[in-house]
């Protein structure tokens, strides 16, 4: 049940086909998941979204690929995005996440949410030493 | 400006002093930040909260210390906890996070929030292959 | 699967029937959706909720009807309310939202969520010029 | 720093004065807090908002006044509304909330947020017995 | 559909069995719901989570058991945790919550979310009198 | 107080200068607000973020410029992003938003958040007619 109809033959649109081909080549699989199949209803949105995901999540960078997926899952849990939790948990497993690492990720996300509530409930003043412009941090 | 008064002399309470001493010993610093100074208004809550933070964030585990801080920051941003964003960004820097890694963290958190909205707006069906109980994942 | 039972014959309650009749007359349809059928378990809550929705969303006002639905969808996506995303996307379509407008709505909601994370992650100071009481805005 | 200017003499508007008088009479105090002073920029929004707060939070009902404030604080913490956390914590104290009850409230809000993350991270299926329409609940 | 596989025979693990036995004894029922059956994939996380829930939600304390469940539901609604809304609504009913109390809970959660948006939209300054350290509160 | 230091002379970096020049030209003002001045700590992130904001918010499209700002404010309120609420409320005013439209925007955001809570609290089943793939919608 979705708010838009998946195009029945999305790859008949050349722009969509180009994106799907790039997804398959980048991920080394024939499988294209529902996010992309549905975004095909607007080729421009599909192109921009895939370009950004590809650049940030697959190009070599300052964080390793698994760490990036763990961060992605953490945000998706906090935002209650069911689809994203599923798709990125699968992606993290494909990049080597063990059951023990998954359980630890959930425990840390849960702990962070817990202390977030405490700090918001107490309305704590930020310690001046945490200010990045503070000379004490130099 | 806070919703509770910080106890003026928190370490006159033996339970509070024991927690503060453990914070200082664990972190190898004399500095005890406002979260703990304020939680001192309820020693039991202070003890339980510190025990959990210490166990998950400082004990050797399946994720490295910096990755754990990055996950913590990600959740704190998504939950709009100003205090926690400040304190854990400082903690991540203390554990070696570079400016480039920080910028990449922010970019991934922002991207995840973005695709979370797309998926929630489209109300995507979860691909069956993402189900952990699915034999296709075996 | 719901947390309350829908009353089997809600319109046997005169207050419920009056609300349902008003919904049908206002919307020019026989269809009454599940939100109202379920809220019928508490006629006072049903009456107050419908009165507010009717007043804000259907009376002539300073914003046009489609703009109001777009705002409603945006909030519902950000709050991860699956039911509301579905019902208000359908309502926006009934008021003329095109596929291109829907895709643009999703893109803007996604962009806003993205920069919300950046600003919360950076903990930006608000520029004084944005203060409504600031003489620079005069 | 606000997004709207507080009217300099709000009670020169008869509708605003009537609401402020009712706030003072209902709360038995001369103090009118910033939420109402600022909402005075739109008398209709001020009237509707106060009417709803007065009805739900001050009229005798099925929940006692302190319980209602605790629920209000809990939601305000979860939604990261700094102003509301402050104003309703003060209101709860005025209705008798002790420091021990406040600390317990924070602990429960924090625990709920924690298990919310676990459940969202695990994407748990809802047990059929929790369905209100389930005959097992009869 | 879940992100982890439920262990097929969780109680073959002695630590899991001990937790399940304690859940059954504490709740006086043979039923163990999916949250615990799924957390069994990581016995340490299961143990810690149950210990905290048991301590805060079932031990005699400064808030009565039903009030604690209402707070739990409120947070779960605000965080859009479908599973938790279901499980804690059922728990609140088991502790005596009437339909009228449930409807009032929903109305207050909805009102709080509403004024949270108003306050966040207006970016209200917190009244100095709400500061817990303010001598006016003495 | 921020988590990163604003570069003291950001436009000494040619990539930053190019973005700032484009911001000034696009907005027809010399003013560059703190979001961009701070993102200057990572020129690549600055470039990508501005490019996306410019494309979606300033290019002619299927929604008018003021509607786009109203959607942006709505999401920023729901996500409790103080900075974004301020900056986009100022932007909406610059594009002609009246006080009456602003008050109506806040009222609709508040109403949406309210019914989001009701729907999430009731855990409503989505009416089949809302499914975009449903032949009843044809």
């Amino acid at each position: 049940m979705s708010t838009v109809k998946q195009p029945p033959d999305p790859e008949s649109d050349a722009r969509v086909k180009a994106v799907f081909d790039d997804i398959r080549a980048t991920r080394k699989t024939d499988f294209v998941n529902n996010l992309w199949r549905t975004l095909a209803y607007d080729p421009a949105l599909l192109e921009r979204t895939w370009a950004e995901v590809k650049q940030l999540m697959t190009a070599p960078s300052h964080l390793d690929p698994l760490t990036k997926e763990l961060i992605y899952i953490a945000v998706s849990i906090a935002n209650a995005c069911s689809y994203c939790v599923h798709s990125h948990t699968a992606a993290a497993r494909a990049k080597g996440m063990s059951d023990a690492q998954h359980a630890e990720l959930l425990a840390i996300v849960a702990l962070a949410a817990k202390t977030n509530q405490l700090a918001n409930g107490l309305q704590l003043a930020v310690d001046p030493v945490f200010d990045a412009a503070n000379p004490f941090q130099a």
Side-chain angles (χ1 to χ4, degrees), chain A residues 15 17 23 51-52 61 66 89 95 136:
Chain A
R15 296 168 70 186
K17 183 172 188 317
I23 291 173
E52 190 173 359
S61 71
L66 179 52
T89 303
K95 290 177 183 170
F136 293 111

Short mmCIF file of all heavy atoms in Angstrom, two decimals, chain A residues 15 17 23 51-52 61 66 89 95 136:
data_model
loop_
_atom_site.label_atom_id
_atom_site.label_comp_id
_atom_site.label_asym_id
_atom_site.label_seq_id
_atom_site.Cartn_x
_atom_site.Cartn_y
_atom_site.Cartn_z
N ARG A 15 15.90 7.65 -18.71
CA ARG A 15 16.56 8.17 -17.51
C ARG A 15 16.46 7.17 -16.37
O ARG A 15 17.41 6.98 -15.61
CB ARG A 15 15.96 9.52 -17.10
CG ARG A 15 16.16 10.62 -18.15
CD ARG A 15 15.31 11.84 -17.87
NE ARG A 15 15.77 12.56 -16.69
CZ ARG A 15 15.11 13.60 -16.18
NH1 ARG A 15 13.98 14.03 -16.73
NH2 ARG A 15 15.58 14.23 -15.11
N LYS A 17 16.09 3.93 -16.69
CA LYS A 17 16.93 2.76 -17.01
C LYS A 17 18.40 3.04 -16.67
O LYS A 17 19.10 2.18 -16.13
CB LYS A 17 16.80 2.40 -18.49
CG LYS A 17 17.61 1.14 -18.83
CD LYS A 17 17.36 0.64 -20.23
CE LYS A 17 18.02 -0.73 -20.45
NZ LYS A 17 19.37 -0.83 -19.91
N ILE A 23 22.65 1.45 -10.47
CA ILE A 23 22.43 0.78 -9.17
C ILE A 23 22.92 -0.66 -9.26
O ILE A 23 23.65 -1.14 -8.38
CB ILE A 23 20.92 0.81 -8.80
CG1 ILE A 23 20.49 2.25 -8.47
CG2 ILE A 23 20.63 -0.13 -7.63
CD1 ILE A 23 18.99 2.42 -8.25
N ALA A 51 22.11 9.76 -7.04
CA ALA A 51 23.43 10.38 -7.16
C ALA A 51 24.00 10.69 -5.77
O ALA A 51 25.19 10.47 -5.51
CB ALA A 51 23.35 11.64 -8.02
N GLU A 52 23.15 11.19 -4.89
CA GLU A 52 23.62 11.56 -3.56
C GLU A 52 23.93 10.32 -2.72
O GLU A 52 24.94 10.28 -2.01
CB GLU A 52 22.55 12.42 -2.87
CG GLU A 52 23.07 13.03 -1.58
CD GLU A 52 22.08 14.01 -0.99
OE1 GLU A 52 21.00 14.23 -1.59
OE2 GLU A 52 22.38 14.56 0.09
N SER A 61 36.05 7.29 1.44
CA SER A 61 35.90 8.53 2.19
C SER A 61 36.57 8.41 3.55
O SER A 61 37.38 7.51 3.77
CB SER A 61 34.41 8.83 2.36
OG SER A 61 33.83 7.90 3.26
N LEU A 66 30.99 0.25 6.63
CA LEU A 66 30.08 -0.28 7.64
C LEU A 66 29.67 0.80 8.63
O LEU A 66 28.50 0.91 9.01
CB LEU A 66 30.72 -1.47 8.38
CG LEU A 66 29.85 -2.09 9.48
CD1 LEU A 66 28.46 -2.45 8.97
CD2 LEU A 66 30.53 -3.33 10.06
N THR A 89 19.51 -2.11 7.40
CA THR A 89 19.99 -3.24 8.21
C THR A 89 20.47 -4.35 7.26
O THR A 89 21.53 -4.97 7.50
CB THR A 89 18.88 -3.76 9.15
OG1 THR A 89 18.44 -2.68 9.98
CG2 THR A 89 19.39 -4.89 10.03
N LYS A 95 27.53 -5.74 4.34
CA LYS A 95 28.89 -5.19 4.50
C LYS A 95 29.60 -5.77 5.72
O LYS A 95 30.61 -5.22 6.16
CB LYS A 95 28.80 -3.66 4.61
CG LYS A 95 28.41 -3.02 3.28
CD LYS A 95 28.24 -1.52 3.37
CE LYS A 95 27.77 -0.97 2.01
NZ LYS A 95 27.36 0.43 2.07
N PHE A 136 39.34 27.07 25.72
CA PHE A 136 39.69 25.91 26.55
C PHE A 136 39.85 24.64 25.72
O PHE A 136 40.45 23.67 26.15
CB PHE A 136 38.61 25.66 27.62
CG PHE A 136 38.53 26.74 28.65
CD1 PHE A 136 37.42 27.57 28.72
CD2 PHE A 136 39.57 26.94 29.55
CE1 PHE A 136 37.35 28.58 29.66
CE2 PHE A 136 39.50 27.95 30.51
CZ PHE A 136 38.39 28.77 30.56
#
